[in-house]
Amino acid sequence: MGLSGAGRRAYMKLFTAANYSSFSASNEMNLIKQLRERTSAPIKDVKAALVDSNWDIDAAQKELRKRGIVLASKKSSRTASEGLLALAQNHHKTALIELNCETDFVARNDIFQHLALSLANQALLLDNNSSPFHFGPQSFQDIRLNLQHPKVNGETTVQNAITEVAAMMGENVKLRRGFVMPAPSNGLVSTYLHTSPQPGLGRIAGILSLEVDGDKTHADALQRVGSELAMHVVASKPLFLTKELVSLDALENEREILKSQAEASGKSQTTIDKMVEGRLRKYFEDVVLMDQKFVMNDTMKVKVVLDNLSKEVGSSVRVVSFLRMEVGEGIARQETDASESVAQAA
């Protein structure tokens, strides 16, 4: 006996409800787990997307991405002072980028770390002159990226990749800045990463370019001392390579401060002048790389370390340039000084 139209609709409703009950009991948690693994989105959002998509996991994943991009744009104004530095090298140059997020928890996420390393490798493609150069996120406007990660892959623009990861993480994620240092024609670039969760990543970086006259026949010695000097840069925070490169503004500003301090002693002008010059020498020892005490052996200065290296390799060795970069420096936040821990580690 056939069912009437109304009876058929009632039967189908009961049949669908029964099927859904059976489906929900056996597969709901499994689908939630799968979508969570695919996207790393919060469980609450994962379940809501599946319900709205009638438990179609592909449709739910697409819906999460749509929602996430909107969510990411809403969070883009929030302060992102955590994150990681990512470093990449080839025979021609070394690239370093800073990728920020809001919390250290997200910085430990493998998707975030994969994105940071991918951006550093892309930075090696940036073309400039033979001098070291800084760059901002605008330099990546025309660059496309393929993350090739199980949870986020496919070719897209750099900004879209960052936006998608931000959506998955539920935080503001942003590429803040980068730096590229070309390798010298005869020498090498040494690096050191502090607080490194995996190779190529860290919270503080030191990069140092060493150039040698003659043939590079003692690469091991150059690399050993170069690595130690890169660690020294992280620990000792030099601002200038030599005294001659100290800017006039920085020098005059320091001289004024020292003069005010010395005048407070009430001593004669001659004594004050001597005090200022003596303290200025100490200032050079604090901020000039060549005049700093070597962090691995404070009985000698960095320039003596280079002199000893030159004797070891049989050719003059010099530092061409250096860089120190730290996650979040200059961003308004409660800052802690990690240099002391680097010095202790050294």
Side-chain angles (χ1 to χ4, degrees), residues 242-255:
T242 65
K243 289 180 182 178
E244 292 73 24
L245 293 177
V246 178
S247 66
L248 289 177
D249 288 343
L251 191 58
E252 288 305 313
N253 183 59
E254 188 65 21
R255 192 185 295 275

Side-chain angles (χ1 to χ4, degrees), residues 239 248-265 272-273 275-280 283 286-287:
L239 300 177
L248 289 177
D249 288 343
L251 191 58
E252 288 305 313
N253 183 59
E254 188 65 21
R255 192 185 295 275
E256 283 297 317
I257 293 172
L258 296 176
K259 184 178 179 181
S260 298
Q261 293 173 347
E263 288 174 343
S265 67
I272 288 174
D273 291 342
M275 290 173 65
V276 169
E277 292 307 312
R279 292 175 182 177
L280 205 53
Y283 169 73
D286 288 340
V287 302

Side-chain angles (χ1 to χ4, degrees), residues 296-337:
M296 305 291 286
N297 180 357
D298 62 7
T299 64
M300 65 176 71
K301 293 185 177 181
V302 169
K303 58 186 174 184
V304 175
V305 174
L306 282 174
D307 288 342
N308 292 341
L309 178 60
S310 298
K311 293 174 183 177
E312 182 178 351
V313 303
S315 299
S316 176
V317 181
R318 57 191 168 275
V319 176
V320 179
S321 57
F322 71 90
L323 172 80
R324 182 188 189 277
M325 188 182 291
E326 184 170 351
V327 169
E329 58 188 347
I331 300 176
R333 62 173 182 155
Q334 185 176 356
E335 302 223 13
T336 57
D337 190 351

Side-chain angles (χ1 to χ4, degrees), residues 17-264:
N19 269 1
Y20 175 77
S21 177
S22 174
F23 167 83
S24 178
S26 60
N27 294 319
E28 181 177 301
M29 290 307 298
N30 186 41
L31 282 174
I32 290 174
K33 181 181 177 182
Q34 287 183 48
L35 189 53
R36 165 74 174 164
E37 288 175 350
R38 283 191 190 183
T39 64
S40 294
I43 291 179
K44 179 181 70 174
D45 296 335
V46 166
K47 184 175 181 180
L50 282 166
V51 170
D52 292 346
S53 303
N54 200 24
W55 297 93
D56 181 328
I57 191 169
D58 293 326
Q61 184 173 353
K62 185 176 181 180
E63 181 62 24
L64 274 177
R65 292 181 67 179
K66 288 180 180 178
R67 294 180 185 179
I69 290 173
V70 173
L71 183 63
S73 66
K74 290 179 179 178
K75 296 185 177 183
S76 62
S77 62
R78 297 190 339 198
T79 300
S81 59
E82 292 296 328
L84 286 169
L85 304 176
L87 185 144
Q89 285 184 284
N90 58 29
H91 294 301
H92 306 291
K93 63 184 75 170
T94 297
L96 181 72
I97 64 97
E98 179 181 358
L99 185 67
N100 295 123
C101 55
E102 297 176 44
T103 65
D104 183 56
F105 176 78
V106 165
R108 294 195 299 269
N109 185 281
D110 69 312
I111 300 175
F112 181 89
Q113 294 182 4
H114 183 83
L115 173 61
L117 288 170
S118 299
L119 291 172
N121 279 290
Q122 288 299 113
L124 290 174
L125 303 178
L126 295 178
D127 194 18
N128 203 291
N129 54 35
S130 59
S131 301
F133 64 93
H134 293 267
F135 64 88
Q138 67 276 4
S139 297
F140 276 4
Q141 285 181 348
D142 299 325
I143 293 181
R144 298 186 68 80
L145 187 68
N146 191 342
L147 290 180
Q148 297 182 332
H149 187 279
K151 296 180 182 179
V152 53
N153 55 65
E155 186 174 325
T156 183
T157 65
V158 167
Q159 185 53 54
N160 283 346
I162 293 172
T163 300
E164 186 168 346
V165 170
M168 296 171 70
M169 299 297 102
E171 288 192 6
N172 184 16
V173 174
K174 61 192 299 184
L175 173 64
R176 183 185 179 200
R177 55 180 172 165
F179 179 81
V180 174
M181 181 179 289
S185 56
N186 195 30
L188 49 80
V189 175
S190 294
T191 64
Y192 172 73
L193 286 167
H194 186 61
T195 316
S196 178
Q198 63 167 296
L201 297 173
R203 286 188 56 82
I204 315 175
I207 305 177
L208 184 126
S209 174
L210 286 178
E211 189 172 50
V212 58
D213 290 337
D215 295 330
K216 190 174 61 177
T217 56
H218 295 75
D220 290 345
L222 289 171
Q223 190 60 66
R224 184 191 75 249
V225 176
S227 297
E228 292 174 348
L229 289 174
M231 178 184 283
H232 172 95
V233 166
V234 168
S236 299
K237 296 183 175 181
L239 300 177
F240 307 98
L241 179 58
T242 65
K243 289 180 182 178
E244 292 73 24
L245 293 177
V246 178
S247 66
L248 289 177
D249 288 343
L251 191 58
E252 288 305 313
N253 183 59
E254 188 65 21
R255 192 185 295 275
E256 283 297 317
I257 293 172
L258 296 176
K259 184 178 179 181
S260 298
Q261 293 173 347
E263 288 174 343

